[in-house]
Amino acid sequence: TARILSAREVCGDLYDFLSYGTQQLGVALGDVSGKGSAAALYGAVATGILRSLSPRKLQPSELLRQLNQLVCDRRVDGRYMTICFATWQKGRRMLRVANAGQSQPLLWKDGRVEQINLTGFPIGIFDDATYEEWNVRLSTGDILVFYSDGITEASNRDGKFFGAGRLKDLLESNTQLNSAELADRMLEEVQEFTQGGAITDDRTLVVMKVK
């Protein structure tokens, strides 16, 4: 389940689902530096490149490496993108994740929430960047949450950020919800925290729950 709340008419955040055949799915969530139409255009180019790579069925670290090279070839001065990419192999129940400077995803597994500790250079800065990959076998009921910093950096009237800690707590106390309900609940909580303030940065979520 994916949700996006845009701060402007055009959005600098992106998410995409890449079909790797019947047994495998690629999931991306990214955030382009800057705002407005230039960021949205950069995001559209990156999404186009992602989709052009999808027939190769690349695993996350190699996909990010190739995406970075192709984006660097079309270098746009002063712009870059953070992105987290994962593949889910249904038959083997195997999740693989790599990260290029995006917020670290949350994983609910074995009765607790952890942050998947992966960093990596954003896309579009260093031509020869390489990326680490992490994998885990998941079980029914496990939950993965990708989110943009528009969620954790949403602030209230006192200037306090919502923060990753609140997002973790929210996941921990709502694991019985399905993915759509959980995504909606998270966005509602963020909106409540900001006391109805304007959305200053795009808020994007992808929630996956293993059946």
Side-chain angles (χ1 to χ4, degrees), residues 104-108 111-117 143 145 147 151-152 162-175 182 186 189-190 205:
Q104 296 171 346
L106 300 178
L107 176 65
W108 162 264
R112 67 192 191 94
V113 178
E114 62 174 310
Q115 220 157 2
I116 298 175
N117 188 18
I143 302 169
V145 179
Y147 57 94
I151 300 272
T152 48
F162 186 77
R166 278 189 182 84
L167 200 60
K168 274 185 182 177
D169 292 344
L170 200 50
L171 172 53
E172 209 159 23
S173 54
N174 290 280
T175 55
L182 187 54
M186 286 175 161
E189 288 280 337
V190 172
L205 271 175

Side-chain angles (χ1 to χ4, degrees), residues 28-56:
L29 186 144
D31 185 356
V32 178
S33 65
K35 301 270 189 304
S37 53
L41 184 60
Y42 190 99
V45 169
T47 300
I49 295 171
L50 263 180
R51 289 180 180 174
S52 72
L53 289 173
S54 110
R56 299 185 196 176

